[in-house]
Amino acid sequence: MDMPVPTLELLDRFAAIVGEAHALRSEADLAPHLVENRGLYKGSSPMLLKPGSTEEVAAIMKLASETKTAIVPQTGNTGLVGGQTPRTGSSDIILSLERMNRIRDVDPVANVIVADGGAILADVQKAAEEVNRLFPLSLGSEGSCRIGGNLSTNAGGTAVLAYGNIRQLCLGLEVVLPTGEIWNGLRRLKKDNTGYDLRDLFIGAEGTLGVITGAVLKLFPRPIGHQVAFAGLNSPEDALKLFEKASNLCGTALTGFELMPRIGVEFTAKHIEGVRDPLSEPHPWYALIDISTSDNAATAETMIQSLLEQGFEAGLVQDAVIASSLAQQKALWHMRESMSDAQKPEGGSIKHDVSVPVSKIPSFMADAEKAVLAAIPGARICAFGHLGDGNIHYNISQPVGADKAEFIGRWREMNEIVHGIVLAAGGSISAEHGIGQLKRDELSHIRSPIEMELMYRIKRSFDPAGIMNPGKVVSLP
Amino acid sequence: MDMPVPTLELLDRFAAIVGEAHALRSEADLAPHLVENRGLYKGSSPMLLKPGSTEEVAAIMKLASETKTAIVPQTGNTGLVGGQTPRTGSSDIILSLERMNRIRDVDPVANVIVADGGAILADVQKAAEEVNRLFPLSLGSEGSCRIGGNLSTNAGGTAVLAYGNIRQLCLGLEVVLPTGEIWNGLRRLKKDNTGYDLRDLFIGAEGTLGVITGAVLKLFPRPIGHQVAFAGLNSPEDALKLFEKASNLCGTALTGFELMPRIGVEFTAKHIEGVRDPLSEPHPWYALIDISTSDNAATAETMIQSLLEQGFEAGLVQDAVIASSLAQQKALWHMRESMSDAQKPEGGSIKHDVSVPVSKIPSFMADAEKAVLAAIPGARICAFGHLGDGNIHYNISQPVGADKAEFIGRWREMNEIVHGIVLAAGGSISAEHGIGQLKRDELSHIRSPIEMELMYRIKRSFDPAGIMNPGKVVSLP
């Protein structure tokens, strides 16, 4: 759908809603908001608006709806699929929630926190800690990503195994609809079976059905016992067997089970400050195991020790360390969380964020490696991720000495190879990052016509003017 | 919307899809399917169809769509709001899933089970047990209710505290759409961020957006330690304080925290076989506390003892017993689960299934009691339920010796009183039973116009002919 270029007069009307001080127009001011972290997309936009309230967001959407002006919601701008980036060559207006960053309420008895859509994730975590509670969502970008974006992308991260994605952590939403109406669904209820589930429709819709301006989120008791171990393993098969032992032994106390390859440990040890290989000998694969208990600290200690003992006895664990301090725990997690960044100095990296049923991780790893190396001999596969969730960040670094641009030019071809194997295993081509612009066309190819049709119907009925983050997730036929 | 009465020829065409043997037309055969458990609704229908496959369901919906014939999906017929009952005076055709009752697959490594929409809940539980796993959904009607209905009503039950409603237990769905197309969303993935969340839209839609014919459900490790205690308390305030202690002490090992009033214990001891008051002295309130641990049995024992000790010391627990055998554990749960049935011999009972934020349970109980007794002096309030979820079954038995019909005639008036207090506390008028016919008109009054409008848009875009369980949840304007 083509939209008219906004006139200067129209831009002035938008600016008047938030006040000139909060309407950015200069190239320098706009520049950081037109690109995303990986540099895959560079968009254009005549203006960025920073509303200070839900009512201002509503006024913006109302005017946009009347004038058929495309609006791109943006929070922390940490998305990885171009969902928050204005379209290339477009006149999309960016709606930033950065001024709407308040914690509205914290209730440790009801175990809920209410936050603005622009609240930074780390601030929400901190507000929970201050009342001795845990908000479990945790991801690499938590210092800058914001709740509205986390919800719009159904963020996952490192605590999904025990607590689920943010979908499972959200009780209620406040959403400004594309037409400018406000849906107040800020309920604090654990149980509420009254009509269609609108909340979950907005969660994960990547800002294409409305702007999430507020949310009620769940809090949890803070764990008392916490243990982190790092184990050297021979294969993903062994990792899966160890994960099954861990699930049976620890139940919901198992709060993380991450798989990493040798090359990932080498990259981080080489490029990330403060990271070193915690084991004396190299191993082909590693597991990072995280256990949290809320009854007492001794339980976590007993669990991690029993698990490693069982793993040694069964020949699954070749070597292991248990972090002996909070600093060591953080260092182990830092290695895992910086594994993507550690690939940058190694040249081009083609990324995939896929999931398969947990039991199929080993066969997926074997099949994908074979196919990737057949296509690009010497490619360095750095596949790591949340084994317990079936979610692998299947990243491929260029062969040593290869031409970066040429390698990156094969992104689509590699996608087809890896996603083909994923789909054959009943997997997902986007486990946690979403669709955005990056996977929009692919989505329409891998989903059944009826599934796409249902999505189109929802999109059309919520956003009849087609102004809400157009060109993302679905492209109306 | 008025629908034409199906001609005999049309009924024959429907019957031909499933075969005459599976198309019931006689009054006697139809009778049990026209009423629901409470006797609040009595519908009419010319025919009940029992398809044997998803394809037959699709053929039925296709013909219904072409001929504008209303279809009411019915599984175990255990719903409590008339959602599964054909409309009074209607020619709605009942589509029963009882022949589609297979467990399609069980995978204990990936921790999933795939079942037909007509699979009985208890059979799913049993299939999980056979591979040493737990399917945690548990409710009074589990011997007859079926998975498609559980999903369509987003069933709750007694394990919600630790495991959530069935919404949290479902990974994927197969749905026959009102148009007869089949949506195959039978994914087995823990993480999948690819487009709009269609799954959660069908869950809880009470069969108004499509027929759930299959589902992928999550399995969990079976608990090793299990303890059940029954404690006498002075007030809902004390129950809330004890619940907070339990949450902090047990974390996710707290698998049940049910509140019951003295009168409920009296009713069950009097009317339900095998139930007796486990404590020697009467107490105004009781808590049933359930703890499950997956590491070892000793942890659960330590937890329940510590909790009761802390409760005694803080003056919250007046007396308590811990079940010393599996039989005793079952007996305690049986008392709780038969509390609604135990009201029947006491005459008329006006029911509410409400939720409020957990922290507001005590004030809600006090406010509601005052208002109810002011309206009907002598009414016997039997309010019990899942305190940990904020969900109270606020049931009111008639005064001793009152006229039953006259009392039941005040159903709506009592609803208005109780729901008014619930809504003022930010609560829900249907925590787990749904909307159906019973609360359909009320829903449109308590929800904002924009929320109703979004629901109408979804309904219209999924079911343009208006044939899918019409008159339930939403009534199109």
Side-chain angles (χ1 to χ4, degrees), chain A residues 187 192 194 428 447 451, chain B residues 183 187 192 194 428 447 451:
Chain A
R187 293 164 199 147
D192 179 24
T194 52
S428 169
R447 287 285 183 254
E451 180 157 345
Chain B
W183 174 53
R187 291 161 201 151
D192 179 25
T194 51
S428 169
R447 287 284 183 254
E451 180 157 345

Side-chain angles (χ1 to χ4, degrees), chain A residues 246-266:
Chain A
S247 295
N248 284 326
L249 187 71
C250 311
T252 54
L254 182 66
T255 36
F257 196 104
E258 301 284 314
L259 179 68
M260 290 172 279
R262 175 65 197 165
I263 198 171
V265 172
E266 282 172 6

Side-chain angles (χ1 to χ4, degrees), chain A residues 181-467:
Chain A
E181 284 146 311
I182 299 168
W183 174 53
N184 183 343
L186 285 176
R187 293 164 199 147
R188 301 184 180 204
L189 302 169
K190 293 191 183 177
K191 292 171 75 171
D192 179 24
N193 280 344
T194 52
Y196 303 151
D197 181 8
L198 300 176
R199 177 189 66 207
D200 283 310
L201 202 48
F202 291 111
I203 296 175
E206 304 184 31
T208 64
L209 300 178
V211 184
I212 297 176
T213 50
V216 181
L217 303 166
K218 287 188 209 169
L219 299 180
F220 294 82
R222 285 185 74 183
I224 297 173
H226 187 210
Q227 294 287 332
V228 181
F230 183 80
L233 313 172
N234 280 334
S235 65
E237 283 84 354
D238 285 359
L240 181 62
K241 285 180 192 156
L242 187 64
F243 169 68
E244 284 171 52
K245 279 192 190 299
S247 295
N248 284 326
L249 187 71
C250 311
T252 54
L254 182 66
T255 36
F257 196 104
E258 301 284 314
L259 179 68
M260 290 172 279
R262 175 65 197 165
I263 198 171
V265 172
E266 282 172 6
F267 284 175
T268 48
K270 192 169 159 195
H271 300 298
I272 304 293
E273 208 184 305
V275 171
R276 58 174 198 85
D277 181 352
L279 300 179
S280 51
E281 299 292 322
H283 300 275
W285 293 90
Y286 299 91
L288 179 67
I289 303 158
D290 190 283
I291 291 174
S292 308
T293 53
S294 43
D295 55 335
N296 65 64
T299 317
E301 251 183 87
T302 313
M303 277 182 182
I304 199 99
Q305 275 157 2
S306 309
L307 175 62
L308 292 178
E309 274 167 33
Q310 288 183 21
F312 277 119
E313 275 168 30
L316 302 172
V317 173
Q318 306 307 316
D319 192 9
V321 287
I322 299 174
S324 61
S325 66
L326 191 62
Q328 282 189 15
Q329 291 183 347
K330 283 191 177 170
L332 288 177
W333 270 110
H334 182 54
M335 173 195 281
R336 161 62 188 84
E337 285 177 347
S338 53
M339 202 152 279
S340 194
D341 282 345
Q343 288 185 269
K344 281 186 188 167
E346 295 287 334
S349 170
I350 296 174
K351 314 218 184 238
H352 305 83
D353 163 44
V354 301
S355 70
V356 293
V358 179
S359 52
K360 292 189 177 170
I361 291 257
S363 61
F364 161 70
M365 290 292 216
D367 295 349
E369 179 176 311
K370 205 172 150 193
V372 165
L373 293 182
I376 307 186
R380 293 170 297 166
I381 299 167
C382 184
F384 60 91
H386 322 292
L387 181 132
D389 308 319
N391 179 194
I392 298 294
H393 298 297
Y394 201 90
N395 295 352
I396 308 167
S397 280
Q398 66 177 57
V400 176
D403 180 79
K404 183 176 172 181
E406 195 187 316
F407 176 76
I408 291 292
R410 299 181 71 176
W411 190 293
R412 189 173 294 261
E413 179 197 344
M414 288 297 104
N415 277 185
E416 276 174 19
I417 290 172
V418 174
H419 289 170
I421 296 166
V422 165
L423 294 170
S428 169
I429 63 161
S430 190
E432 57 179 11
H433 297 162
I435 298 297
Q437 302 181 64
L438 184 62
K439 297 176 183 175
R440 189 196 65 188
D441 294 339
E442 198 173 355
L443 183 68
S444 65
H445 289 119
I446 62 165
R447 287 285 183 254
S448 63
I450 185 63
E451 180 157 345
M452 292 310 298
E453 172 60 25
L454 291 176
M455 290 198 226
Y456 297 146
R457 286 188 202 165
I458 292 168
K459 171 69 175 170
R460 274 192 293 253
S461 66
F462 278 58
D463 179 22
I467 56 163

Side-chain angles (χ1 to χ4, degrees), chain A residues 47-51 57 60-61 71-75 93-97 211:
Chain A
M47 179 176 263
L48 180 142
L49 299 169
K50 295 185 192 175
V57 176
I60 291 167
M61 291 315 305
I71 302 288
V72 182
Q74 195 177 88
T75 54
I93 290 181
I94 304 170
L95 189 158
S96 165
L97 289 190
V211 184

Side-chain angles (χ1 to χ4, degrees), chain A residues 107-111 132-133 153-157 160-161 163 165 167-168 177 179 181-185 187-206 208-209 218 220-222 224 240 243-244 247-253 294-296 299 303 355-359 386 388-391 393 425-435 443 446-448 450-451 453-459 461-464 472-474, chain B residues 107-111 132-133 153-157 160-161 163 165 167-168 177 179 181-185 187-206 208-209 218 220-222 224 240 243-244 247-253 294-296 299 303 355-359 386 388-391 393 425-435 443 446-448 450-451 453-459 461-464 472-474:
Chain A
D107 182 345
V109 179
N111 272 320
N132 196 31
R133 291 292 182 273
T153 56
N154 186 26
V160 172
L161 194 56
Y163 297 96
N165 280 43
R167 186 184 297 289
Q168 275 79 50
L177 300 169
T179 46
E181 284 146 311
I182 299 168
W183 174 53
N184 183 343
R187 293 164 199 147
R188 301 184 180 204
L189 302 169
K190 293 191 183 177
K191 292 171 75 171
D192 179 24
N193 280 344
T194 52
Y196 303 151
D197 181 8
L198 300 176
R199 177 189 66 207
D200 283 310
L201 202 48
F202 291 111
I203 296 175
E206 304 184 31
T208 64
L209 300 178
K218 287 188 209 169
F220 294 82
R222 285 185 74 183
I224 297 173
L240 181 62
F243 169 68
E244 284 171 52
S247 295
N248 284 326
L249 187 71
C250 311
T252 54
S294 43
D295 55 335
N296 65 64
T299 317
M303 277 182 182
S355 70
V356 293
V358 179
S359 52
H386 322 292
D389 308 319
N391 179 194
H393 298 297
S428 169
I429 63 161
S430 190
E432 57 179 11
H433 297 162
I435 298 297
L443 183 68
I446 62 165
R447 287 285 183 254
S448 63
I450 185 63
E451 180 157 345
E453 172 60 25
L454 291 176
M455 290 198 226
Y456 297 146
R457 286 188 202 165
I458 292 168
K459 171 69 175 170
S461 66
F462 278 58
D463 179 22
K472 320 292 168 65
V473 188
V474 291
Chain B
D107 182 345
V109 179
N111 273 318
N132 196 31
R133 290 290 183 273
T153 56
N154 187 25
V160 173
L161 195 57
Y163 297 96
N165 280 41
R167 187 184 295 290
Q168 274 80 48
L177 299 169
T179 45
E181 285 147 311
I182 299 168
W183 174 53
N184 183 341
R187 291 161 201 151
R188 303 184 178 204
L189 302 169
K190 294 192 183 176
K191 293 171 75 171
D192 179 25
N193 280 343
T194 51
Y196 303 151
D197 181 9
L198 300 175
R199 178 188 66 207
D200 284 309
L201 201 49
F202 292 111
I203 296 175
E206 302 184 32
T208 64
L209 299 178
K218 287 188 209 170
F220 294 82
R222 287 186 74 183
I224 295 173
L240 181 62
F243 169 68
E244 283 170 51
S247 295
N248 284 326
L249 187 72
C250 311
T252 53
S294 43
D295 55 337
N296 66 65
T299 317
M303 277 182 182
S355 70
V356 293
V358 179
S359 51
H386 321 292
D389 308 319
N391 178 193
H393 298 297
S428 169
I429 62 161
S430 190
E432 57 179 12
H433 297 163
I435 297 299
L443 182 68
I446 62 166
R447 287 284 183 254
S448 63
I450 184 64
E451 180 157 345
E453 172 60 26
L454 291 177
M455 289 196 225
Y456 297 146
R457 286 187 201 166
I458 291 168
K459 172 69 176 169
S461 66
F462 278 57
D463 179 21
K472 320 295 167 63
V473 188
V474 291

Side-chain angles (χ1 to χ4, degrees), chain B residues 8-90:
Chain B
L8 187 60
E9 187 237 329
L10 180 55
L11 292 178
D12 288 344
R13 286 174 70 195
F14 276 111
I17 294 170
V18 297
E20 276 298 339
H22 304 301
L24 313 184
R25 309 193 197 208
S26 80
E27 226 172 281
D29 283 343
L30 286 167
H33 300 276
L34 302 177
V35 290
E36 38 75 71
N37 187 38
R38 289 183 185 166
L40 290 177
Y41 294 96
K42 177 152 178 25
S44 57
S45 170
M47 181 176 261
L48 179 143
L49 299 169
K50 295 186 192 174
S53 68
T54 303
E55 289 67 31
E56 287 185 7
V57 176
I60 291 168
M61 291 315 306
K62 189 163 181 293
L63 180 56
S65 182
E66 284 163 9
T67 57
K68 295 217 186 296
T69 310
I71 302 288
V72 181
Q74 195 177 88
T75 55
N77 195 15
T78 61
L80 296 169
V81 291
Q84 78 281 20
T85 318
R87 292 168 298 173
T88 308
S90 79

